[in-house]
Amino acid sequence: MTPLIEPFAQFAFMQRALLGCLAISLSATPVGVFLLLRRMSLTGDAMAHAILPGAAVGYLVAGLNLGAMTIGGVVAGLIVALLTGAVARFTALREDAALAAFYLISLALGVLLVSLKGSNVDLMHVLFGTVLALDNAALTLLCAITTVTLVTLALVFRPLVLECADPRFLASVSRWSGPVHFIFLGLVVLNLVAGFQALGTLMSVGIMILPAAAARFWATSIGGMLVVAALVAVLSSVAGLLASYHAGLPSGPAIILAAGSLYLLSLVFGPAGGLATRFWPRAHLDA
């Protein structure tokens, strides 16, 4: 049996880790593509930090309980999203600055809350996740979030694409502009919470943004980017889990570093605007 198949064939914890990563790959990468198209990539990073205090409150109440930490993370993320929108709308502060302020406050508050009750091991679990320790309840949650995300994206796909291209036009011809924006932010929070279960709050945004950024160098259509981003995320998950098994590396960082490596390769060799095509363009025949 080859080293590529052996870990997943012999060990149940590796099978659960792979299934969880596949669910996250199919769910988070479409959200990441739309974040990239809407020029909101850093928003995902900020929201990943914003869910930490809610997860910490759930941890203080119930310990390392999946349900409590998930509900806390979702509530905290939505509160930060709503507060950011309110500050941007009713004050002179821009949305990016308001989000940066709230996510810094959230990150510090979350770390403080976890530190009050837990140990350094618990803090590392919350920040960086334990994908190799996923149980059946966590897998059920991840698959449920994947289903909700894909169904919701299918329902709002057209207005979401139009908002990426021309949000003012969508606002002028349809009432979907506002609802679509908040539905999308809800999906961002939901998928960050899903990623948090496996990769932790500091790593979950990586599986969302890096595959989407890599896909930009291989496809020019939205459909193509969605497919390539999912493939990159799946390959990164498999490579990271294998590196974790064979080399004893931390699984979450290994997965994100694999995604980062594929992004760097795409940056150099990608046919849709990569460095190679820019500095060594293909020869073409003159008409």
Side-chain angles (χ1 to χ4, degrees):
M1 191 174 297
T2 67
L4 298 179
I5 300 176
E6 177 186 358
F8 304 113
Q10 291 189 356
F11 299 103
F13 73 91
M14 290 293 290
Q15 296 169 6
R16 287 193 294 269
L18 179 61
L19 178 59
C21 288
L22 291 179
I24 295 171
S25 298
L26 294 177
S27 181
T29 50
V31 176
V33 167
F34 283 108
L35 279 174
L36 192 71
L37 294 174
R38 292 159 63 100
R39 297 177 176 86
M40 293 174 60
S41 299
L42 290 178
T43 299
D45 184 48
M47 294 305 298
H49 295 81
I51 69 175
L52 183 56
V57 170
Y59 169 74
L60 289 176
V61 172
L64 291 173
N65 180 275
L66 176 66
M69 295 177 71
T70 298
I71 293 172
V74 171
V75 171
L78 293 177
I79 288 175
V80 169
L82 292 174
L83 287 176
T84 299
V87 169
R89 183 169 184 178
F90 297 111
T91 73
L93 199 63
R94 293 179 57 181
E95 187 175 24
D96 58 341
L99 184 59
F102 280 122
Y103 103 74
L104 289 171
I105 295 170
S106 298
L107 177 61
L109 179 60
V111 173
L112 179 63
L113 288 174
V114 175
S115 301
L116 287 177
K117 182 180 177 181
S119 64
N120 289 335
V121 174
D122 295 330
L123 181 60
M124 293 293 288
H125 170 85
V126 172
L127 293 179
F128 299 105
T130 51
V131 67
L132 297 181
L134 292 177
D135 55 16
N136 292 335
L139 288 178
T140 301
L141 175 67
L142 293 178
C143 292
I145 290 176
T146 299
T147 302
V148 170
T149 299
L150 294 179
V151 170
T152 304
L153 285 176
L155 293 175
V156 301
F157 186 80
R158 285 190 175 183
L160 190 57
V161 170
L162 186 55
E163 191 183 35
C164 293
D166 193 344
R168 292 184 179 180
F169 176 74
L170 178 63
S172 67
V173 301
S174 173
R175 297 180 179 179
W176 273 97
S177 180
V180 164
H181 180 71
F182 285 105
I183 289 172
F184 180 69
L185 285 180
L187 290 179
V188 173
V189 172
L190 199 60
N191 280 275
L192 288 173
V193 170
F196 152 77
Q197 303 297 337
L199 303 174
T201 56
L202 297 185
M203 293 289 177
S204 59
V205 71
I207 202 65
M208 183 180 290
I209 298 299
L210 286 172
R216 175 61 184 83
F217 295 104
W218 296 97
T220 55
S221 67
I222 294 178
M225 289 180 64
L226 292 174
V227 172
V228 174
L231 289 175
V232 170
V234 170
L235 289 174
S236 302
S237 299
V238 173
L241 290 174
L242 288 173
S244 174
Y245 176 81
H246 291 294
L249 301 175
S251 53
I255 292 171
I256 301 306
L257 283 175
S261 299
L262 291 176
Y263 164 72
L264 293 176
L265 289 173
S266 302
L267 175 67
V268 177
F269 299 108
L275 294 176
T277 59
R278 186 174 297 272
F279 291 103
W280 297 283
R282 293 180 181 178
H284 60 277
L285 297 177
D286 293 328

Coordinates of all heavy atoms in Angstrom, one line a residue, residues 241-283:
L241 N -2.4 16.9 5.3 CA -2.7 15.7 6.2 C -1.6 14.7 6.1 O -1.2 14.1 7.1 CB -4.1 15.1 5.9 CG -5.3 15.9 6.3 CD1 -6.6 15.3 5.8 CD2 -5.3 16.1 7.8
L242 N -1.1 14.4 4.8 CA -0.1 13.5 4.6 C 1.2 14.0 5.3 O 2.0 13.2 5.9 CB 0.1 13.2 3.1 CG -1.0 12.4 2.4 CD1 -0.7 12.4 0.9 CD2 -1.0 11.0 3.0
A243 N 1.5 15.3 5.2 CA 2.7 15.8 5.8 C 2.6 15.7 7.3 O 3.6 15.4 8.0 CB 2.9 17.3 5.4
S244 N 1.4 15.9 7.8 CA 1.2 15.8 9.3 C 1.5 14.4 9.7 O 2.1 14.1 10.8 CB -0.2 16.2 9.6 OG -0.5 16.0 11.0
Y245 N 1.0 13.4 8.9 CA 1.1 12.0 9.3 C 2.5 11.5 9.2 O 3.1 10.8 10.1 CB 0.2 11.1 8.5 CG 0.3 9.6 8.7 CD1 -0.4 9.0 9.8 CD2 1.1 8.8 7.9 CE1 -0.3 7.7 10.0 CE2 1.2 7.5 8.1 CZ 0.5 6.9 9.2 OH 0.6 5.5 9.4
H246 N 3.2 11.7 8.1 CA 4.5 11.2 7.8 C 5.6 12.0 8.5 O 6.7 11.4 8.8 CB 4.7 11.1 6.3 CG 3.9 10.1 5.6 ND1 4.0 8.7 5.8 CD2 2.9 10.2 4.7 CE1 3.1 8.1 5.1 NE2 2.4 9.0 4.4
A247 N 5.5 13.3 8.6 CA 6.6 14.1 9.1 C 6.3 14.6 10.5 O 7.2 15.3 11.1 CB 6.8 15.3 8.2
G248 N 5.1 14.3 11.1 CA 4.8 14.8 12.4 C 4.6 16.3 12.6 O 4.7 16.8 13.6
L249 N 4.2 16.9 11.5 CA 3.9 18.4 11.5 C 2.5 18.6 12.0 O 1.6 17.8 11.9 CB 4.1 18.9 10.1 CG 5.4 18.8 9.4 CD1 5.3 19.3 8.0 CD2 6.5 19.5 10.2
P250 N 2.3 19.8 12.6 CA 1.0 20.2 13.0 C 0.1 20.2 11.8 O 0.4 20.8 10.8 CB 1.1 21.6 13.6 CG 2.6 21.7 14.0 CD 3.3 20.9 13.0
S251 N -1.1 19.6 11.9 CA -1.9 19.4 10.7 C -2.5 20.7 10.1 O -2.5 20.9 8.9 CB -3.1 18.5 11.1 OG -3.8 18.9 12.2
G252 N -3.0 21.6 11.0 CA -3.6 22.8 10.5 C -2.6 23.7 9.7 O -2.8 24.1 8.6
P253 N -1.5 24.1 10.4 CA -0.5 24.8 9.6 C 0.0 24.1 8.4 O 0.3 24.8 7.4 CB 0.6 25.0 10.7 CG -0.1 25.0 12.0 CD -1.2 24.0 11.8
A254 N 0.1 22.8 8.4 CA 0.6 22.1 7.2 C -0.3 22.2 6.1 O 0.1 22.4 4.9 CB 0.8 20.6 7.6
I255 N -1.6 22.2 6.3 CA -2.6 22.4 5.3 C -2.6 23.8 4.7 O -2.6 24.0 3.5 CB -4.0 22.1 5.8 CG1 -4.2 20.6 6.2 CG2 -5.1 22.5 4.9 CD1 -5.5 20.3 6.9
I256 N -2.4 24.8 5.6 CA -2.4 26.2 5.1 C -1.1 26.4 4.3 O -1.1 27.2 3.3 CB -2.6 27.1 6.3 CG1 -3.9 26.9 7.0 CG2 -2.5 28.6 5.8 CD1 -5.1 26.9 6.1
L257 N 0.0 25.9 4.8 CA 1.3 26.0 4.1 C 1.2 25.3 2.7 O 1.8 25.8 1.7 CB 2.4 25.5 4.9 CG 2.9 26.4 6.0 CD1 4.0 25.6 6.9 CD2 3.4 27.7 5.5
A258 N 0.5 24.2 2.6 CA 0.4 23.5 1.3 C -0.4 24.4 0.4 O -0.1 24.6 -0.8 CB -0.3 22.2 1.5
A259 N -1.5 25.1 0.9 CA -2.3 26.0 0.1 C -1.5 27.2 -0.3 O -1.5 27.7 -1.4 CB -3.5 26.4 0.9
G260 N -0.6 27.7 0.6 CA 0.3 28.8 0.3 C 1.3 28.4 -0.8 O 1.6 29.3 -1.6
S261 N 1.8 27.2 -0.7 CA 2.7 26.8 -1.8 C 2.1 26.7 -3.1 O 2.7 27.1 -4.1 CB 3.3 25.4 -1.4 OG 4.0 25.4 -0.2
L262 N 0.8 26.2 -3.2 CA 0.1 26.2 -4.5 C -0.2 27.6 -5.0 O -0.2 27.9 -6.2 CB -1.2 25.4 -4.3 CG -1.0 23.9 -4.1 CD1 -2.3 23.2 -3.9 CD2 -0.3 23.2 -5.3
Y263 N -0.5 28.5 -4.0 CA -0.7 29.9 -4.4 C 0.6 30.5 -5.0 O 0.5 31.2 -6.1 CB -1.1 30.7 -3.2 CG -1.0 32.2 -3.4 CD1 -1.8 32.9 -4.3 CD2 0.1 32.9 -2.8 CE1 -1.7 34.3 -4.5 CE2 0.2 34.3 -3.1 CZ -0.7 34.9 -3.9 OH -0.5 36.3 -4.1
L264 N 1.8 30.2 -4.4 CA 3.0 30.8 -4.9 C 3.3 30.2 -6.3 O 3.8 30.9 -7.2 CB 4.1 30.5 -4.0 CG 4.1 31.3 -2.6 CD1 5.2 30.8 -1.7 CD2 4.1 32.8 -2.8
L265 N 3.1 28.9 -6.5 CA 3.3 28.3 -7.8 C 2.3 28.9 -8.8 O 2.7 29.1 -10.0 CB 3.0 26.8 -7.7 CG 4.1 26.0 -7.0 CD1 3.7 24.5 -6.8 CD2 5.4 26.0 -7.7
S266 N 1.1 29.1 -8.4 CA 0.2 29.8 -9.4 C 0.6 31.2 -9.7 O 0.4 31.6 -10.8 CB -1.2 29.8 -8.7 OG -1.7 28.5 -8.4
L267 N 1.1 31.9 -8.7 CA 1.5 33.3 -8.9 C 2.6 33.3 -10.0 O 2.7 34.2 -10.8 CB 2.1 33.8 -7.6 CG 2.7 35.2 -7.6 CD1 1.7 36.3 -7.9 CD2 3.4 35.5 -6.3
V268 N 3.5 32.3 -10.0 CA 4.6 32.3 -11.0 C 4.2 31.7 -12.3 O 4.4 32.3 -13.4 CB 5.8 31.5 -10.4 CG1 6.9 31.4 -11.4 CG2 6.3 32.2 -9.1
F269 N 3.5 30.6 -12.3 CA 3.3 29.8 -13.5 C 1.8 29.9 -14.0 O 1.5 29.3 -15.1 CB 3.6 28.3 -13.3 CG 5.1 28.1 -12.9 CD1 5.4 27.8 -11.7 CD2 6.1 28.3 -13.9 CE1 6.8 27.6 -11.3 CE2 7.4 28.1 -13.5 CZ 7.8 27.8 -12.3
G270 N 0.9 30.5 -13.3 CA -0.5 30.6 -13.8 C -0.6 31.3 -15.1 O 0.0 32.3 -15.3
P271 N -1.4 30.7 -16.0 CA -1.5 31.3 -17.3 C -2.4 32.5 -17.4 O -2.4 33.2 -18.4 CB -2.2 30.1 -18.1 CG -2.9 29.3 -17.1 CD -2.1 29.4 -15.9
A272 N -3.2 32.8 -16.4 CA -4.1 34.0 -16.4 C -3.5 35.1 -15.5 O -4.0 35.4 -14.5 CB -5.4 33.6 -15.8
G273 N -2.3 35.7 -16.0 CA -1.7 36.8 -15.3 C -0.6 36.5 -14.4 O -0.2 37.3 -13.6
G274 N -0.1 35.3 -14.5 CA 1.1 34.9 -13.6 C 2.3 35.6 -14.1 O 2.4 36.2 -15.2
L275 N 3.4 35.5 -13.3 CA 4.6 36.2 -13.6 C 5.3 35.7 -14.9 O 5.9 36.4 -15.6 CB 5.6 36.1 -12.4 CG 5.2 36.8 -11.1 CD1 6.2 36.5 -10.0 CD2 5.1 38.3 -11.4
A276 N 5.1 34.4 -15.1 CA 5.8 33.7 -16.2 C 5.2 34.3 -17.5 O 5.9 34.6 -18.5 CB 5.6 32.2 -16.2
T277 N 3.9 34.5 -17.6 CA 3.2 35.0 -18.8 C 3.5 36.5 -19.0 O 3.5 37.0 -20.1 CB 1.7 34.8 -18.7 OG1 1.2 35.5 -17.6 CG2 1.4 33.3 -18.6
R278 N 3.8 37.2 -17.9 CA 4.1 38.6 -18.0 C 5.5 38.9 -18.5 O 5.7 39.8 -19.3 CB 3.8 39.3 -16.6 CG 4.0 40.8 -16.7 CD 3.6 41.4 -15.3 NE 2.2 41.1 -15.0 CZ 1.2 41.9 -15.4 NH1 1.4 42.9 -16.1 NH2 -0.1 41.6 -15.1
F279 N 6.5 38.1 -18.0 CA 7.9 38.3 -18.3 C 8.3 37.5 -19.5 O 9.3 37.8 -20.2 CB 8.8 38.0 -17.1 CG 8.6 39.1 -16.0 CD1 7.8 38.8 -14.9 CD2 9.1 40.3 -16.2 CE1 7.7 39.7 -13.9 CE2 9.0 41.3 -15.2 CZ 8.3 41.0 -14.0
W280 N 7.6 36.3 -19.7 CA 8.0 35.5 -20.9 C 6.7 35.2 -21.7 O 6.2 34.0 -21.6 CB 8.6 34.2 -20.4 CG 9.9 34.4 -19.7 CD1 11.1 34.7 -20.3 CD2 10.2 34.3 -18.3 NE1 12.1 34.9 -19.3 CE2 11.5 34.6 -18.1 CE3 9.3 34.1 -17.2 CZ2 12.1 34.7 -16.8 CZ3 9.9 34.1 -15.9 CH2 11.2 34.4 -15.8
P281 N 6.2 36.1 -22.3 CA 4.9 35.9 -23.1 C 5.1 34.9 -24.2 O 6.2 34.7 -24.7 CB 4.6 37.3 -23.6 CG 5.9 38.0 -23.7 CD 6.7 37.5 -22.5
R282 N 4.0 34.2 -24.5 CA 4.0 33.2 -25.6 C 4.2 33.9 -26.9 O 3.7 35.0 -27.2 CB 2.7 32.5 -25.6 CG 2.5 31.6 -24.4 CD 1.1 30.9 -24.5 NE 0.9 30.0 -23.3 CZ -0.2 29.4 -23.2 NH1 -1.2 29.4 -24.1 NH2 -0.4 28.6 -22.1
A283 N 5.0 33.2 -27.7 CA 5.2 33.8 -29.1 C 3.9 33.6 -29.9 O 3.2 32.7 -29.7 CB 6.3 33.0 -29.8

